[in-house]
Amino acid sequence: MSSSVSVKKPLAINCEQVVKVLSGFIRTEVLKTGFGKVVLGLSGGIDSSLSAALAVRALGPANVIGVMMPYETSNPDSLADAELMTRSLGIAHRVLEITAMVKPFFEQNPEIDSVRRGNIMARMRMIVLYDVSAAEKALVLGTSNKTEYLLGYSTLWGDSACALNPLGDLYKTQVRALASYLELPERIIKKKPSADLWIGQTDEDELGFTYDQADAVLELLVDKRLSVHQAVESGFPADLVNHIMKVVRQTQYKRQMPLIAKLSNRTINRDFRFPRDWGL
Amino acid sequence: MLVRLAQIAPRLGNTEYNFEHCRKMVGEAAGDGVDLIVFPELALTGYLLKDMVAQVGLSTWDGKIQELSRLSGNISILLGLVEQGEDHFFYNSAFYFEAGALAERRRKGHLPTYGMFDEGRYFTQGNRVEAFSSRFGRVGVMICEDAWHPINPYILCQDGAQILFIISNSPVRGMTETGDFLSVQNWQLICRSYALLYSCFVIYVNRVGCEDGVSFSGCSQVVGPHGDVLESLPFLEEAVATVKIDLNELPKARIHSPVLRDEKFLSSIHELKRIREKTFGH
């Protein structure tokens, strides 16, 4: 038995044990639904690559389907890196280009800006994944991490849509540690995170701070239960902490099911409460 | 005395399946000459039941309870379930079967209702802490959170318990840099502490499996009265272990470290009364 119960390094994790929990989670939660497979979008980035690697550990390579969904402006490296991942994991993959699906929408609405275009692409990818899900009887595996969830850095009902998510309680820093532990290709771990919704986009440019900064502040505010004032006192710039707290609050709706107006004595999820695994 | 720890993964809300699974394991254990089989908390129902609590409760006269009584002719059984009380409230209970009958019933007194836990919303609190005499001597039963209140093992051991059973549904949580999850470390610490402080055996049986994204850790264990870990079951995996409990270790442990003997029982009552009067008045 360990003699110490203190967490020595912030955000440090025991990768071996975390992998056991996450692969057990995927295996149990998928199999109990009666499904045997998962499908996930592969962007060539670290989050989807790690999710795929965990799914392979949980279900075996024959039961994991990777789908690449490039748009005409997507960085060709994204597709190449996703293919590298599917080869190294030995999983089936499909390339379903979304250009012809979203272009008619863009052409009818020439005024739309890059954020709206990005949302439409993310939601089109969701449509494609859920169609593969129905065709292949495979559950959609989510790939968002805790940093993205807390910052609301996703498209609602787009890339955030999934049946289950193994990474949602891991910060980006921890995702990187786990990816190294599972020996994902170095270039995938090292490259700059990007939603690749427009040319040159990177997460950190768009957010205005780095993942390392975000994770350190979020750990204090969320996991360590520090107030904004205490987080600033522990050495982080007030502007940064205030901004992150504001973003977390403003994006709370993205982490919830829609509000239902209460009328009866048995309102869904308020006083009609059943687990998601009801009857499974 | 041979005790079998059944570290199982109950299916949520599926009382029929869980009952059949337990029944089969009881039969196998009896065939193996085991004296007592211990199942986790809520072994017949699973944990995150929410409104299903009202659908899965069993009363003491339920056919499944009768069947478990019948099976206990050759083997004693300790098992957790949702009990529908005579008052038609629901309890997170442990039933102990011995010699063909439901011999004892213990209701969880501390229902965690904070953080990820919501038991107080559905269950009614038990209000008794009492050891009981079994064919193996005097024993005490705690259900998960009950063991986080050190007054409970204190009372049980003052009441003569020589074996403390803790049945639980402990979720995996709290990542550390190295070693086990904090929840696992904490349970190991608790089990060893009570065994050491009260010179008694601690038999801790936790479940495994995953419900709504929550994984249960397993890591069941048996600790001897010297504080020595006699058996540890694996993290996250279904497993059984059969452990020989040698009650002859008790006198050795208790002469070596007579901490329990030297507890100032009357003094404790006196001080508690003083605090009661200070806090609540006469």
Side-chain angles (χ1 to χ4, degrees):
Chain A
M1 163 181 177
S2 167
S3 58
S4 165
V5 293
S6 64
V7 182
K8 288 174 199 137
K9 222 161 60 184
L11 298 173
I13 57 172
N14 178 339
C15 291
E16 183 191 349
Q17 291 217 341
V18 170
V19 167
K20 272 190 195 170
V21 172
L22 297 182
S23 54
F25 157 77
I26 295 171
R27 184 166 50 245
T28 311
E29 295 289 8
V30 170
L31 297 182
K32 76 163 79 168
T33 63
F35 286 72
K37 291 192 244 179
V38 293
V39 56
L40 76 166
L42 288 179
S43 68
I46 189 169
D47 300 308
S48 58
S49 299
L50 178 60
S51 294
L54 290 166
V56 166
R57 287 189 161 237
L59 302 167
N63 295 311
V64 181
I65 306 164
V67 183
M68 290 82 115
M69 296 166 284
Y71 178 68
E72 65 182 6
T73 61
S74 296
N75 185 340
D77 287 350
S78 299
L79 183 60
D81 290 340
E83 280 171 343
L84 172 67
M85 236 10 255
T86 60
R87 272 200 308 279
S88 77
L89 292 172
I91 63 174
H93 75 277
R94 291 180 196 172
V95 181
L96 299 169
E97 189 167 343
I98 60 165
T99 309
M101 306 176 200
V102 296
K103 263 230 160 140
F105 195 103
F106 295 163
E107 281 162 8
Q108 284 176 36
N109 299 275
E111 81 288 1
I112 63 177
D113 60 21
S114 58
V115 171
R116 286 173 62 193
R117 288 163 69 97
N119 283 337
I120 287 159
M121 286 190 263
R123 293 195 179 106
M124 182 51 72
R125 292 184 174 120
M126 176 275 292
I127 289 172
V128 171
L129 284 177
Y130 272 84
D131 183 58
V132 177
S133 167
E136 298 286 345
K137 299 207 178 328
L139 287 176
V140 176
L141 191 69
T143 65
S144 295
N145 59 54
K146 189 171 183 173
T147 315
E148 290 174 330
Y149 271 123
L150 286 170
L151 297 175
Y153 193 61
S154 65
T155 296
L156 189 61
W157 320 125
D159 52 317
S160 68
C162 63
L164 70 163
N165 181 333
L167 304 187
D169 206 9
L170 291 171
Y171 290 109
K172 189 79 171 185
T173 310
Q174 297 169 322
V175 164
R176 288 194 192 115
L178 214 52
S180 294
Y181 172 77
L182 290 181
E183 297 178 338
L184 263 53
E186 195 76 359
R187 51 176 285 118
I188 289 176
I189 297 173
K190 289 275 163 67
K191 76 177 177 186
K192 282 194 166 184
S194 167
D196 198 13
L197 294 170
W198 54 86
I199 293 165
Q201 181 191 22
T202 71
D203 293 5
E204 292 180 340
D205 282 351
E206 206 177 354
L207 289 166
F209 42 77
T210 67
Y211 274 115
D212 286 347
Q213 289 173 312
D215 289 355
V217 172
L218 287 169
E219 192 202 16
L220 295 184
L221 296 176
V222 175
D223 301 81
K224 305 282 188 204
R225 299 176 190 260
L226 264 60
S227 66
V228 167
H229 177 68
Q230 289 167 325
V232 172
E233 275 197 332
S234 73
F236 290 92
D239 286 356
L240 177 70
V241 178
N242 278 313
H243 177 62
I244 287 177
M245 190 66 241
K246 189 173 140 202
V247 171
V248 171
R249 207 167 44 235
Q250 282 177 341
T251 56
Q252 174 68 355
Y253 72 98
K254 286 190 167 185
R255 296 180 289 271
Q256 306 274 327
M257 292 300 280
L259 292 182
I260 293 176
K262 183 165 179 64
L263 292 169
S264 77
N265 281 332
R266 209 91 199 273
T267 308
I268 293 161
N269 287 339
R270 191 168 300 280
D271 28 41
F272 176 79
R273 291 172 177 252
F274 285 89
R276 158 91 172 250
D277 291 349
W278 187 11
L280 299 180
Chain B
M1 172 192 181
L2 280 182
V3 179
R4 179 162 292 177
L5 285 66
Q7 181 171 297
I8 58 172
R11 293 191 184 174
L12 186 58
N14 192 339
T15 317
E16 295 299 324
Y17 171 87
N18 295 325
F19 172 72
E20 282 306 320
H21 189 53
C22 291
R23 187 168 72 152
K24 192 162 154 266
M25 291 184 77
V26 169
E28 286 167 3
D32 293 343
V34 167
D35 298 303
L36 166 66
I37 183 165
V38 184
F39 293 96
E41 176 185 18
L42 297 173
L44 293 184
T45 62
Y47 185 72
L48 287 172
L49 293 158
K50 300 189 176 183
D51 283 3
M52 265 192 285
V53 164
Q55 300 163 358
V56 298
L58 301 180
S59 30
T60 51
W61 56 86
D62 188 276
K64 292 185 178 67
I65 302 303
Q66 302 300 317
E67 174 69 2
L68 287 166
S69 297
R70 198 184 62 72
L71 289 170
S72 72
N74 297 321
I75 180 170
S76 302
I77 305 163
L78 178 63
L79 156 146
L81 72 159
V82 176
E83 177 201 354
Q84 182 170 347
E86 294 82 356
D87 54 10
H88 301 294
F89 288 118
F90 297 93
Y91 298 89
N92 181 339
S93 292
F95 281 9
Y96 176 70
F97 302 87
E98 182 179 288
L102 171 57
E104 294 288 341
R105 173 177 72 180
R106 289 294 178 272
R107 292 166 166 175
K108 189 171 186 175
H110 296 275
L111 299 168
T113 306
Y114 57 81
M116 64 175 291
F117 304 109
D118 210 10
E119 291 181 41
R121 170 185 287 275
Y122 303 99
F123 291 115
T124 304
Q125 285 179 10
N127 52 16
R128 298 299 307 273
V129 184
E130 196 177 359
F132 61 87
S133 296
S134 73
R135 66 187 175 112
F136 313 107
R138 218 156 156 75
V139 303
V141 172
M142 290 178 280
I143 305 174
C144 206
E145 189 87 355
D146 287 343
W148 282 74
H149 294 262
I151 192 77
N152 290 327
Y154 176 79
I155 293 170
L156 292 171
C157 290
Q158 288 296 330
D159 200 13
Q162 299 173 357
I163 305 173
L164 292 176
F165 294 99
I166 305 172
I167 61 173
S168 76
N169 278 185
S170 169
V172 172
R173 59 197 184 119
M175 291 182 283
T176 59
E177 184 175 357
T178 56
D180 294 321
F181 279 81
L182 286 174
S183 56
V184 172
Q185 291 188 28
N186 289 340
W187 273 110
Q188 290 168 342
L189 188 62
I190 282 174
C191 291
R192 272 196 76 194
S193 300
Y194 294 157
L196 190 63
L197 295 175
Y198 298 127
S199 311
C200 62
F201 287 92
V202 172
I203 297 177
Y204 166 68
V205 180
N206 186 30
R207 64 161 291 183
V208 290
C210 191
E211 295 174 354
D212 274 17
V214 175
S215 300
F216 297 89
S217 55
C219 296
S220 303
Q221 62 173 218
V222 178
V223 188
H226 307 277
D228 45 332
V229 178
L230 301 175
E231 180 69 71
S232 290
L233 271 66
F235 179 54
L236 299 177
E237 295 167 25
E238 285 189 88
V240 294
T242 307
V243 183
K244 186 169 187 292
I245 301 295
D246 182 1
L247 297 174
N248 291 319
E249 288 304 316
L250 290 168
K252 293 180 209 166
R254 289 179 175 192
I255 194 75
H256 169 70
S257 177
V259 174
L260 178 66
R261 183 196 67 187
D262 297 344
E263 286 290 347
K264 293 163 85 176
F265 176 74
L266 291 174
S267 167
S268 301
I269 291 177
H270 178 78
E271 297 300 339
L272 286 171
K273 278 184 177 164
R274 177 185 60 76
I275 295 165
R276 183 183 67 183
E277 283 164 15
K278 188 179 75 178
T279 310
F280 302 105
H282 291 277

